[in-house]
Amino acid sequence: MAAQCLLLLACVLVLAAAGHSIHIQTLNIFKKSPSNTLASALKKTSWPKDCSEVSAGSPSGIYIIQPTGLHPIVVYCEMNVTDGGWTVIQRNWQSTEITWAESWSTYKYGFGNLHTKYWLGTEYIHQISKQKVYQVRFVIWDAANNIRFADYNLFSLEDESHGYQQRLGTYWGTAEDAMDSDDPRNVHNNMKFSSKDRDQDTYRGNCASHSGGGWWYSVCYSVRLNVRGGITWGSLCNGNCKASAILIKPALYH
């Protein structure tokens, strides 16, 4: 039976390598049935804790990781940018078919297609980020399809009981510092995550309900990446960004 389970896992990896659509929910069965045989077989295998532990020289693509204390999950690893090892936690296109107007529980465990547009899951992002000291890179394709980035040398998410509050470090990059601001109406640093059914912003209404998707809102945003159309990054592209991605990896210096 264990051999059959490992064969099933091998099929998942072959499909991923062949470019087929493998959805994030593929391994959620481990969370729901941790005692099943496939989960037991996987527990006997040593998986990288994040994409930084994937072997150097490996291609970008879909990998299985197992953050400390969590079941194995499927992620997309970006191995070709700035020495590689980036775990991609979000990707969106202006022309996406995903509505992004999802519930708290859907954002918690993730949705979408790892090959195209998706949200990894706030719980999984938290579990990864608590392992080490992490940095984050926000990649923005502006209205002219130029690639810009905003790096923050520290990144973490608090647990669900603290609202998945986001904490960012010092900015550096070619896009403006749109995630942090002295204006409390536009700040996203130190904000809790909000969804259409869980309002944790500082606005009198629900930013997630009328702004299109879950995010670390204040009153309401200068950055809006989890949205169908209308991708925004400060004054760089106000609703007409072409695409976005969010990548994390262990910080080099801390």
Side-chain angles (χ1 to χ4, degrees):
M1 180 63 72
Q4 292 175 330
C5 292
L6 291 175
L7 178 60
L8 175 59
L9 174 60
C11 291
V12 170
L13 295 176
V14 168
L15 286 172
H20 292 269
S21 296
I22 306 296
H23 289 266
I24 290 168
Q25 290 83 356
T26 304
L27 294 184
N28 276 357
I29 55 172
F30 307 129
K31 169 173 62 65
K32 297 175 182 177
S33 304
S35 61
N36 66 53
T37 307
L38 180 53
S40 298
L42 283 172
K43 286 178 181 178
K44 298 176 183 178
T45 304
S46 178
W47 303 106
K49 292 181 173 61
D50 60 29
C51 293
S52 73
E53 296 187 1
V54 173
S55 299
S58 299
S60 297
I62 292 178
Y63 291 85
I64 294 175
I65 66 170
Q66 186 171 15
T68 302
L70 188 65
H71 56 80
I73 60 173
V74 183
V75 299
Y76 190 95
C77 294
E78 176 53 63
M79 305 300 293
N80 299 322
V81 174
T82 317
D83 299 322
W86 295 91
T87 304
V88 182
I89 63 173
Q90 186 264 16
R91 193 159 50 197
N92 192 16
W93 301 345
Q94 184 78 326
S95 59
T96 182
E97 69 282 1
I98 297 175
T99 68
W100 292 94
E102 301 290 349
S103 67
W104 178 267
S105 60
T106 302
Y107 268 99
K108 180 177 179 178
Y109 294 114
F111 56 91
N113 185 315
L114 284 171
H115 285 289
T116 54
K117 291 85 65 178
Y118 67 92
W119 177 253
L120 181 60
T122 40
E123 179 62 25
Y124 299 151
I125 298 168
H126 159 67
Q127 294 289 344
I128 294 171
S129 73
K130 76 176 186 178
Q131 300 181 108
K132 307 171 186 176
V133 178
Y134 281 79
Q135 60 183 310
V136 63
R137 169 168 290 185
F138 295 87
V139 185
I140 307 299
W141 286 257
D142 67 18
N145 215 31
N146 299 310
I147 299 176
R148 311 291 186 92
F149 67 90
D151 285 359
Y152 295 86
N153 68 347
L154 298 175
F155 169 84
S156 67
L157 280 193
E158 299 288 343
D159 62 18
E160 186 176 19
S161 69
H162 292 88
Y164 294 123
Q165 186 174 16
Q166 177 184 231
R167 301 192 186 280
L168 300 174
T170 303
Y171 161 84
W172 182 83
T174 59
E176 64 186 279
D177 182 7
M179 289 294 289
D180 208 354
S181 173
D182 293 331
D183 186 343
R185 297 172 299 177
N186 296 327
V187 69
H188 299 286
N189 189 13
N190 294 316
M191 297 306 301
K192 295 180 179 181
F193 196 86
S194 288
S195 63
K196 66 180 183 180
D197 57 341
R198 188 168 301 188
D199 182 8
Q200 300 191 111
D201 58 50
T202 54
Y203 182 55
R204 64 179 180 274
N206 185 335
C207 292
S209 289
H210 64 72
S211 294
W215 193 246
W216 297 279
Y217 289 108
S218 52
V219 190
C220 276
Y221 64 88
S222 62
V223 172
R224 181 176 62 166
L225 304 185
N226 292 348
V227 64
R228 184 176 184 177
I231 299 174
T232 297
W233 185 272
S235 60
L236 177 64
C237 42
N238 187 5
N240 59 350
C241 302
K242 297 294 186 183
S244 69
I246 308 175
L247 301 74
I248 61 173
K249 68 186 287 188
L252 295 176
Y253 306 102
H254 55 271

